[in-house]
Amino acid sequence: MSDHAGAEPGDGADAEPGDGADAEPGDGPIFDADDEVDPEERLKRQRDDLRLLNQVMRHDIRNDLQLVGAYAELLDDHVDEEGKEYLDVIKRNTQSAVSLTTTVRDLAEVMLREDAEPSRVALDRVLSQQVEEIRSGYSEAVFTVEGSYPEAEVVGDEMLSSVFRNLLRNAVQHNDETPPKVTVSATVEEAEGVAEVRIADNGPGIPEDQRDEVFGKGEKGLDSPGAGIGLYLVRSLVEIYGGDVWVEDNEPKGAVFVVRLPLCEG
């Protein structure tokens, strides 16, 4: 049913000439309903729309992708060698798309925040949890932890896990070596009041003139789907915590993503 069905005189049904009723085709809209909407009300609507989009992404789209992935696994014993090659592409891209829904969810959480203040987070707990989670999800990759995780509390919140999850996943997904190798190390610099986490890979590396751009909202790294939004989220969160993130060369090849976070006082 039309929203205008049963309109009463005075509510737009008997519009007078000059108020848009006699507009010619192609003139464009004479009146924008949003013009009279309070800015706070418009912001509330946008936030509601974002919540709805986030819900669709987290549930409907994610569930469909996981179903595709599950059926792809069931086909392993039913395809020949050539078919297996195609099936691997399906599984790899499905996994990547599922990961992307997680990143979009986390980004929406950040955008929907209302001045949430960072608090204290145990760095060793978050790091170890994320390394094990990504390691279990990417059996083809080799993960190495250098030394032990420092028992330090840094400025952050529950979203800090998303920083390391995206960097660890990025080190595997955008790696052209077989096997992908990822090395994680963390140190505390008491004199500077910071903790530093280094995530190194043996992939193609990132040219120096692109190292700042890869954290941009619209960048896709080295032409890899989803890389941009994940790294944009990483920088956004690290800046909220008062820290810094950058890229260095790895030796003999690859990239090192370095995250510096302020230590909590006391």
Side-chain angles (χ1 to χ4, degrees), residues 35-46:
D35 287 346
E36 293 187 355
V37 176
D38 181 79
E40 290 188 8
E41 176 63 24
R42 184 182 297 116
L43 181 60
K44 180 180 180 299
R45 290 182 186 178
Q46 291 172 344

Side-chain angles (χ1 to χ4, degrees), residues 122-132 149-150 164 168 184-186 197 199:
L123 181 62
D124 57 335
R125 176 183 59 81
V126 176
L127 257 183
S128 59
Q129 180 183 21
Q130 291 308 310
V131 169
E132 289 309 309
Y149 301 118
F164 299 125
L168 289 164
V184 182
S185 61
V197 178
I199 298 175

Side-chain angles (χ1 to χ4, degrees), residues 72-186:
E73 293 288 344
L74 292 175
L75 285 173
D76 269 333
D77 298 329
H78 301 279
V79 296
D80 56 21
E81 281 303 313
E82 185 178 2
K84 188 177 186 307
E85 182 181 340
Y86 299 142
L87 188 58
D88 285 343
V89 173
I90 293 173
K91 289 194 288 187
R92 186 167 59 251
N93 283 275
T94 301
Q95 184 183 39
S96 177
V98 170
S99 298
L100 184 56
T101 65
T102 304
T103 303
V104 171
R105 174 201 67 193
D106 291 344
L107 183 58
E109 292 291 339
V110 172
M111 294 171 69
L112 288 168
R113 287 179 168 200
E114 296 187 6
D115 301 323
E117 287 295 322
S119 53
R120 311 168 73 96
V121 177
L123 181 62
D124 57 335
R125 176 183 59 81
V126 176
L127 257 183
S128 59
Q129 180 183 21
Q130 291 308 310
V131 169
E132 289 309 309
E133 181 180 307
I134 300 300
R135 176 185 274 144
S136 64
Y138 294 91
S139 57
E140 74 278 14
V142 176
F143 288 86
T144 303
V145 177
E146 288 187 347
S148 57
Y149 301 118
E151 295 181 6
E153 288 190 322
V154 296
V155 176
D157 52 27
E158 74 282 357
M159 296 295 290
L160 180 58
S161 60
S162 184
V163 169
F164 299 125
R165 179 166 60 246
N166 277 283
L167 291 178
L168 289 164
R169 186 185 292 150
N170 187 72
V172 178
Q173 289 184 344
H174 310 297
N175 197 317
D176 57 355
E177 287 293 314
T178 305
K181 294 182 179 180
V182 183
T183 303
V184 182
S185 61

